[in-house]
Amino acid sequence: MKVCVVGSGGREHALAHVLSRTAEVVVAPGNPGMAAPIEITDEPLEEVEADLYVIGPEAPLVNGLADRLRQQGRAVMGPGADGALLEGSKAHMKEILSTAGVPTAHFATFDSLQTEEALAFLDTLSGPWVIKTDGLAAGKGVLVAHTMEQARADVVAKLSGSSFGDAGRHIVVEEGLEGEECSLLVLCDGTTAVPLLPAQDFKRVRDGDEGPNTGGMGAYAPMPEVGPELVGKIMDTAVTPLITEMCRRGIDYRGVLYAGLMLGPDGPKVIEYNVRFGDPEAQVVLPLLSCDAAELFLAVANGTLDEMPAPTFSGDAAVCVVLASAGYPDNLRTGDPITGLHLNGQSTAPVEGVTVFHAGTRRTSVKGPFRTAGGRVLGVTAVAPTLEEARANAYAGAAPIEWDGMQLRRDIAAAAARAVTENVG
Ligand code: AMP
Ligand code: GLY
């Protein structure tokens, strides 16, 4: 089988890596860290012949790329624009979740003519207060405010257009939820849905969840405290009702449904839905698959998941540590030369089970040095029998890699690995 992965980030590198175990893989446009047997191409997508197209990022999905490819008779993993609106508009997502009866934070939506109403709504919530831009903002349009003053200032800044331009002129204001966050990636073929392993992402830029939100600074999977029973409950309360509601609206959703959840005292609640694999969740969930990923994804595209055995996993744990550019996420600087990588893009400190996924790198010649070219630059993923070993190996693989101003969190999966060790001991 030949699979075309669409995108150029760390998630797409992980997709290509795992698909290349059993299939021929071409990535459009890909990135310079993707080495043989993965092929990269800068040809227009219409000219790339493949048996299956897997679309990585949200923007092309929201813009209808899956629809266009399907109209040409191609097999596509990724929802059409109607399904992708779930991520394209948070207001739409909240509306569909409410209609479907999916538990989610209490909320209201406002536009730029409703600043007074939005400020009044803040008064009805007890805090923390969460203010989100309605449209896509690469994970950065969300503020969790712990003081009313900060919440009010953010509402005014967003609605006036001063902080996010027009993208901020529609907002969702909601109650802050407390608990552990969990990302559950679910494969859906239109009617049948199967969960992959639960993962945890680290959204804030600095250790101890300090600093602004980012696209994700690291992840691990599986989450030891989210066992099959809890995954079943999440499917029953948060996923199946949503798919039923989408079917009722005539939406044939074939792709990944990514449920961002808060596991709180009243049970799991949905923070958000995304319409694609999480990044960096993909970098930890996909390498743990022990079945044929290409066959599995083709079944998603063809609507035949019910004819497939359930996905299987190796039983290992995975940890991904993201290395980010100087100044990320607010004032990022790119173009810094990276040391500690071989010509093939992998770490100069080889550790068994460790892969360096490239996200934002470029090079000026085939054998030239890699340079930073985005906010999140590299993701170092380790797969090992335990979370503790995976964590140690990911940091060992990352150790020689450096550039001026490089940022990484030192506490990825630390608490979870400690909890597992204490429970065993
Ligand atoms: P979103 O883009 O909606 O996923 O939000 C990004 C991040 O903001 C989430 O992963 C959470 O860490 C945080 N967040 C969003 N909504 C809430 C909420 N209602 N309560 C607490 N934290 C939230
Ligand atoms: N890691 C969060 C996301 O992909 O949205």
Side-chain angles (χ1 to χ4, degrees), residues 240-255:
T240 307
L242 171 65
I243 294 171
T244 306
E245 177 59 21
M246 284 199 292
C247 287
R248 199 184 63 77
R249 296 181 186 203
I251 300 170
D252 184 15
Y253 193 103
R254 301 183 185 204

Side-chain angles (χ1 to χ4, degrees), residues 110 114-125 148 152:
F110 303 96
Q114 296 174 303
T115 308
E116 287 311 315
E117 290 89 333
L119 295 175
F121 182 68
L122 285 176
D123 287 328
T124 68
L125 303 174
M148 179 58 100
R152 290 177 68 93

Side-chain angles (χ1 to χ4, degrees), residues 90 105 130 132 139 142 144 174-177 181 203 213 262 271-272:
K90 289 189 194 288
V130 185
K132 305 181 174 186
V142 175
V144 181
E174 64 184 37
E175 66 175 315
L177 301 172
E181 278 190 60
K203 292 243 163 61
N213 263 324
M262 190 69 91
I271 295 176
E272 63 166 348

Side-chain angles (χ1 to χ4, degrees), residues 97-333:
L97 292 186
S98 307
T99 311
V102 171
T104 184
H106 182 56
F107 75 102
T109 57
F110 303 96
D111 66 26
S112 54
L113 299 176
Q114 296 174 303
T115 308
E116 287 311 315
E117 290 89 333
L119 295 175
F121 182 68
L122 285 176
D123 287 328
T124 68
L125 303 174
S126 60
W129 300 266
V130 185
I131 299 105
K132 305 181 174 186
T133 57
D134 178 46
L136 295 180
K140 288 160 226 152
V142 175
L143 177 77
V144 181
H146 291 277
T147 66
M148 179 58 100
E149 207 184 343
Q150 200 189 9
R152 290 177 68 93
D154 195 58
V155 163
V156 171
K158 282 185 174 133
L159 287 181
S160 68
S162 72
S163 56
F164 282 89
D166 285 342
R169 289 183 199 271
H170 281 88
I171 59 170
V172 173
V173 177
E174 64 184 37
E175 66 175 315
L177 301 172
E178 314 271 356
E180 278 291 310
E181 278 190 60
C182 169
S183 303
L184 188 66
L185 306 176
V186 176
L187 303 180
C188 178
D189 72 349
T191 46
T192 303
V194 295
L196 301 178
L197 292 174
Q200 190 164 54
D201 177 23
F202 292 74
K203 292 243 163 61
R204 304 300 186 102
V205 74
R206 282 191 287 282
D207 284 20
D209 292 330
E210 300 285 339
N213 263 324
T214 69
M217 292 296 290
Y220 67 90
M223 281 181 78
E225 71 265 44
V226 185
E229 200 175 311
L230 185 49
V231 169
K233 182 168 178 200
I234 295 167
M235 293 299 287
D236 291 345
T237 59
V239 179
T240 307
L242 171 65
I243 294 171
T244 306
E245 177 59 21
M246 284 199 292
C247 287
R248 199 184 63 77
R249 296 181 186 203
I251 300 170
D252 184 15
Y253 193 103
R254 301 183 185 204
V256 181
L257 267 174
Y258 159 157
L261 302 149
M262 190 69 91
L263 309 175
D266 321 325
K269 287 192 180 175
V270 171
I271 295 176
E272 63 166 348
Y273 261 106
N274 294 317
V275 299
R276 40 143 185 110
F277 285 102
D279 185 340
E281 288 93 328
Q283 288 90 313
V284 290
V285 172
L286 295 171
L288 297 177
L289 276 174
S290 57
C291 56
D292 185 332
E295 289 294 342
L296 185 63
F297 296 172
L298 186 64
V300 171
N302 287 342
T304 53
L305 262 184
D306 60 336
E307 296 164 22
M308 294 281 291
T312 55
F313 299 91
S314 67
D316 291 323
V319 173
C320 176
V321 177
V322 168
L323 311 181
S325 279
Y328 178 71
D330 295 325
N331 300 298
L332 73 105
R333 182 183 75 212

Side-chain angles (χ1 to χ4, degrees), residues 317-392:
V319 173
C320 176
V321 177
V322 168
L323 311 181
S325 279
Y328 178 71
D330 295 325
N331 300 298
L332 73 105
R333 182 183 75 212
T334 59
D336 288 300
I338 303 171
T339 55
L341 291 178
H342 282 303
L343 282 180
N344 67 0
Q346 293 300 302
S347 170
T348 52
V351 183
E352 202 192 318
V354 171
T355 311
V356 179
F357 295 121
H358 286 232
T361 61
R362 68 178 170 83
R363 59 205 314 197
T364 40
S365 64
V366 179
K367 294 201 169 175
F370 290 97
R371 287 177 181 270
T372 64
R376 293 183 292 170
V377 177
L378 299 166
V380 184
T381 291
V383 174
T386 67
L387 205 49
E388 183 72 50
E389 287 165 273
R391 179 177 142 70

